Amino acid sequence: MTNPLRAPWDTPFELPPFDLIEDTHFAPALNEALDEARAAIAAICDGSEATFTNTIEALALADAPLEKVLSPFFAMAGADSNDVREALMRDFSPLLSAYSSEITANADLFARIESLWDRRDDLGLTDEQSRVLMLTRRGFVRSGAQLKGAKANRLAEVKQRLSVLGTQFTQNLLADERSWSMPLDDMAGLPDFVIAAAKSAGAEKEATGPIVTLSRSLIVPFLQFSDRRDLREKAYEAWTARGANGGDTDNRAIAAETLKLREERANLLGYETFADYKLETEMAGTPDAVRDLLMQVWTPAKASAEADAAILEQMLVADGQPAPLQPWDWRYYSEKRRAAEHDLNEAELKPYLQLDRMIEAAFACSSRLFGLEFTPIDAPLYHADCRAWDVTRNGEHMAVFIGDYFARGSKRSGAWCSAMRSQQKLAGNIRPHVINVCNFAKPPKGEPALLSYDDARTLFHEFGHALHQMLSDVTYETISGTSVARDFVELPSQLYEHWLEVPEVLEEFATHAETGDPMPRDLLDRMLGAATYDMGFSTVEYVASAMVDLAFHDGPAPADPMQKQAEVLETLGMPHAIRMRHATPHFAHVFAGDGYSSGYYSYMWSEVMDADAFEAFNENGGPFDPAMAKKLETHILSAGGSEDAAVLYQKFRGSMPDATALLKGRGLAS
């Protein structure tokens, strides 16, 4: 039978035929696709005079067979893994790394690119083509195209080993998350929605009753509400020990080797540190610029968190519990304090934050801002929990959007947006296939899925990334959608979160799961009034993680990353009752690949812009001002990486912001 990964796809919108794809199809399809891609590269290097069309554009099209195989594979491997797919990931990682190194080490190919670069002013290129040429050449140089002999060979070995380590780190983390659960025999303090989620988790794992798992959407509310301090401690320590439990799934040695190899990679390319190498192409530019921003925020955040800790510890002692306040106590007493000071608790909010209604809210905001419409489509997807929509504007197909919202044992933790197919025009009018993946607690069958406010923000955040992909309007995939500087990519996602805070949006879509009544105005006001509640805590745990990430890469690689982590936290004066958001052994942003390595700060760098960008809407007609929406689409969402990020932002806003709006938005301004 024909391998469906190699055949034409006669499916709605040319989506992958997931109902036909079997795990046994991937390896042979990849091998054939690699052969085809190599043949395309060889055809480029035919000795003819290099032109933009026969070199840069041909190179952009060469990987199409690979993308057809790998797009569905990576979607399934990340969100619905199994033993076979994990084994394939381990096999594919070094193969793909070797292929990538083979291309950038191709002297004939690089010579053609250099020839175009040297003649760039005489080629009559458009601005977009000039940008693509620059990025292509820069990518080759930063991948070692100018290295020769032993150095080039060693760089290829380093990159191949790093790809293996990143895959292993991810799979170890998933194994730890999948293997741990705690029977929930004592429900004291737990509201109905937590109990329902625990029962659903137990059913999914075929347990004899309700359980707590390491899924964030279950363990966080458990820590907020469980009256049992001993159970909170047990669950919290398991959650924070992911990747550090000894045995085959321990990630500490992997982290150490990864950091050492990254340092060697940077040195081979002529950089003193990996941070110098990584930040060269980001908006921040240098480690010092990153550190300056983080410390501007750290000082007021730490002061706020320490003041909060003193109050929470008083509550702990008043409960007859021995001091000091511990990390597994913070969420519990913070929730009680929020209920007392803001007359607000999670159990009261949850019935009004239904998953389906929040999806509708995200869609409706994009309709008012950008004219998008969403129609459900029936197409085979990789898991029964997934659903898909045809995205149109004025009757024109813009994208396919896929939502995969519920936690399960086969899905890695966190939330993310990916494109199984990116927008481009080089190979025709190609519209994107975009996926949002989340890990919300799945309700018992027949009951509505209820979100926390933080969950709802996550949904809007990932949908902001999706808009960046769906509204992309460029010719070349190289600069399409989210193909931008790492510390710019979070701007659209974090900016879109602000529309969840618009009262008229909540008044329409925050409706009670049982009665259908809109959220009462006083509850809405209390919820929005508490938006910056506990911001010291969340800022401290985030900035601490970003500072550790930077320290790992801005200097010699530490022989013992755990010791280095401890030293950084001691220097910062990390409050006792708060830990890093992502401790090293489960810091997937940094160690599952190098996407966010030296770059975890980027959420905050982007937040400086998103706070300022939403302020622009408020200054010019309100959150749905059509002129500002048009500017946002033109200069940010549709532009991709067609220009430098700072240039794009200044076209939208007029100037670059400072941290003032960020501190104000987080309630940390003096």
Side-chain angles (χ1 to χ4, degrees):
M1 293 181 65
T2 302
N3 189 323
L5 294 166
R6 298 286 295 161
W9 290 348
D10 184 19
T11 53
F13 306 105
E14 297 183 326
L15 284 165
F18 286 109
D19 55 335
L20 303 178
I21 296 171
E22 298 176 3
D23 290 341
T24 54
H25 291 139
F26 285 114
L30 179 65
N31 289 331
E32 291 179 18
L34 281 169
D35 289 343
E36 193 173 332
R38 287 189 171 103
I41 298 296
I44 295 172
C45 305
D46 62 357
S48 63
E49 182 181 12
T51 67
F52 189 85
T53 298
N54 71 18
T55 302
I56 303 301
E57 291 188 343
L59 181 60
L61 296 171
D63 282 350
L66 281 175
E67 292 176 5
K68 186 170 182 176
V69 176
L70 293 173
S71 292
F73 173 73
F74 285 131
M76 296 166 75
D80 190 27
S81 189
N82 58 31
D83 290 344
V84 174
R85 290 169 198 163
E86 290 187 7
L88 288 171
M89 279 287 289
R90 293 191 293 271
D91 292 341
F92 290 176
S93 292
L95 280 177
L96 295 172
S97 177
Y99 168 73
S100 176
S101 295
E102 182 183 316
I103 291 175
T104 53
N106 186 320
D108 291 337
L109 180 58
F110 185 60
R112 295 177 71 87
I113 295 169
E114 283 286 72
S115 169
L116 292 171
W117 181 249
D118 292 341
R119 296 182 284 123
R120 60 189 180 277
D121 294 336
D122 302 321
L123 297 176
L125 302 179
T126 66
D127 290 344
E128 187 175 332
Q129 289 173 329
S130 295
R131 175 78 172 166
V132 169
L133 174 59
M134 183 278 289
L135 292 173
T136 302
R137 179 185 181 274
R138 188 177 75 179
F140 268 70
V141 171
R142 286 172 56 80
S143 296
Q146 293 176 321
L147 298 182
K148 307 294 181 186
K151 284 188 175 182
N153 294 334
R154 178 55 185 161
L155 182 63
E157 293 172 357
V158 166
K159 289 195 288 187
Q160 189 166 335
R161 178 60 179 162
L162 282 170
S163 72
V164 170
L165 292 173
T167 299
Q168 190 176 348
F169 187 98
T170 303
Q171 294 186 355
N172 288 349
L173 182 54
L174 178 60
D176 277 7
E177 291 170 346
R178 192 164 45 201
S179 65
W180 188 91
S181 64
M182 181 178 73
L184 195 53
D185 300 323
D186 190 337
M187 309 284 189
L190 298 180
D192 290 344
F193 77 85
V194 180
I195 296 172
K199 288 180 178 178
S200 181
E204 199 248 336
K205 286 189 174 289
E206 300 182 347
T208 56
I211 61 173
V212 176
T213 68
L214 299 182
S215 169
R216 186 178 187 90
S217 60
L218 178 51
I219 198 166
V220 167
F222 175 79
L223 293 170
Q224 286 176 306
F225 291 105
S226 175
D227 291 339
R228 287 281 301 273
R229 193 184 194 193
D230 59 330
L231 296 183
R232 295 199 311 268
E233 179 181 4
K234 181 179 179 181
Y236 182 86
E237 292 290 20
W239 190 35
T240 55
R242 291 168 294 157
N245 290 304
D248 293 339
T249 63
D250 197 295
N251 276 333
R252 287 171 287 192
I254 292 175
E257 185 179 356
T258 297
L259 294 174
K260 187 65 178 173
L261 289 173
R262 283 178 181 163
E263 180 186 23
E264 183 180 359
R265 177 183 178 183
N267 293 163
L268 284 167
L269 292 168
Y271 297 87
E272 185 175 348
T273 71
F274 185 80
D276 291 327
Y277 162 74
K278 191 66 185 297
L279 294 173
E280 178 185 51
T281 59
E282 307 300 333
M283 293 185 76
T286 67
D288 285 343
V290 173
R291 193 175 292 106
D292 288 347
L293 171 64
L294 293 175
M295 289 308 297
Q296 280 184 61
V297 179
W298 173 262
T299 301
K302 180 187 173 188
S304 176
E306 288 176 333
D308 290 340
I311 295 171
L312 300 183
E313 187 165 294
Q314 290 175 359
M315 297 170 66
L316 170 81
V317 173
D319 263 1
Q321 297 289 340
L325 182 77
Q326 298 288 357
W328 48 88
D329 297 320
W330 190 292
R331 288 175 174 83
Y332 179 74
Y333 285 102
S334 181
E335 182 65 24
K336 287 183 176 295
R337 182 186 173 199
R338 184 171 72 153
E341 293 186 3
H342 294 275
D343 191 20
L344 190 68
N345 65 71
E346 199 75 45
E348 184 181 15
L349 289 175
K350 276 248 183 180
Y352 291 98
L353 300 174
Q354 300 176 68
L355 171 61
D356 286 349
R357 294 293 279 154
M358 291 299 102
I359 294 171
E360 289 178 32
F363 288 177
C365 290
S366 71
S367 181
R368 289 184 65 181
L369 289 164
F370 311 115
L372 300 180
E373 300 294 338
F374 297 78
T375 305
I377 57 176
D378 184 17
L381 301 171
Y382 61 83
H383 193 277
D385 285 345
C386 296
R387 38 186 148 163
W389 292 265
D390 174 20
V391 187
T392 60
R393 180 159 62 183
N394 298 324
E396 179 185 353
H397 174 69
M398 296 291 289
V400 172
F401 175 68
I402 299 170
D404 179 4
Y405 295 108
F406 295 126
R408 52 181 173 266
S410 61
K411 182 189 289 186
R412 63 181 171 90
S413 60
W416 63 94
C417 175
S418 60
M420 284 197 299
R421 187 172 80 176
S422 296
Q423 180 272 328
Q424 55 140 313
K425 299 174 185 174
L426 183 60
N429 184 25
I430 304 298
R431 299 309 305 173
H433 300 158
V434 187
I435 308 178
N436 274 180
V437 183
C438 299
N439 269 283
F440 303 142
K442 190 173 184 178
K445 189 173 182 179
E447 296 184 19
L450 304 180
L451 305 182
S452 67
Y453 191 59
D454 186 55
D455 288 338
R457 288 179 69 94
T458 296
L459 187 148
F460 268 67
H461 178 101
E462 298 306 332
F463 193 73
H465 282 309
L467 288 172
H468 204 177
Q469 298 277 15
M470 293 189 290
L471 292 172
S472 180
D473 186 24
V474 297
T475 301
Y476 301 97
E477 186 175 347
T478 315
I479 54 172
S480 175
T482 56
S483 298
V484 298
R486 179 64 63 178
D487 47 12
F488 190 66
V489 77
E490 298 298 336
L491 168 60
S493 55
Q494 294 179 179
L495 175 58
Y496 204 66
E497 292 179 34
H498 288 275
W499 274 273
L500 179 62
E501 301 169 353
V502 175
E504 63 185 281
V505 173
L506 291 166
E507 287 169 351
E508 181 176 358
F509 294 100
T511 56
H512 198 279
E514 295 179 4
T515 67
D517 293 336
M519 182 182 289
R521 183 66 200 217
D522 73 307
L523 177 58
L524 189 154
D525 289 341
R526 283 182 278 135
M527 182 178 73
L528 295 179
T532 60
Y533 174 73
D534 219 15
M535 195 58 76
F537 168 84
S538 60
T539 305
V540 161
E541 64 166 8
Y542 165 78
V543 173
S545 296
M547 290 293 283
V548 168
D549 166 42
L550 185 64
F552 279 161
H553 299 99
D554 185 25
D560 183 353
M562 299 305 293
Q563 180 181 340
K564 183 67 173 180
Q565 172 184 297
E567 291 171 357
V568 173
L569 297 180
E570 183 178 1
T571 300
L572 287 172
M574 185 75 168
H576 168 77
I578 307 179
R579 293 186 187 169
M580 292 169 61
R581 183 171 297 177
H582 304 290
T584 296
H586 58 260
F587 206 163
H589 281 82
V590 172
F591 292 105
D594 72 1
Y596 281 90
S597 55
S598 299
Y600 191 61
Y601 77 91
S602 60
Y603 291 94
M604 187 149 284
W605 192 274
S606 293
E607 189 177 343
V608 170
M609 291 179 284
D610 83 63
D612 179 64
F614 195 68
E615 188 65 27
F617 276 86
N618 291 329
E619 292 171 0
N620 292 278
F624 293 102
D625 181 73
M628 289 306 302
K630 182 63 176 176
K631 287 184 70 176
L632 179 62
E633 178 178 351
T634 300
H635 299 304
I636 306 293
L637 297 176
S638 72
S642 58
E643 294 185 80
D644 181 79
V647 172
L648 290 173
Y649 189 80
Q650 289 176 79
K651 284 185 175 181
F652 165 71
R653 187 62 165 119
S655 62
M656 292 298 294
D658 59 23
T660 302
L662 179 150
L663 293 171
K664 179 182 175 183
R666 284 184 171 246
L668 299 173
S670 58

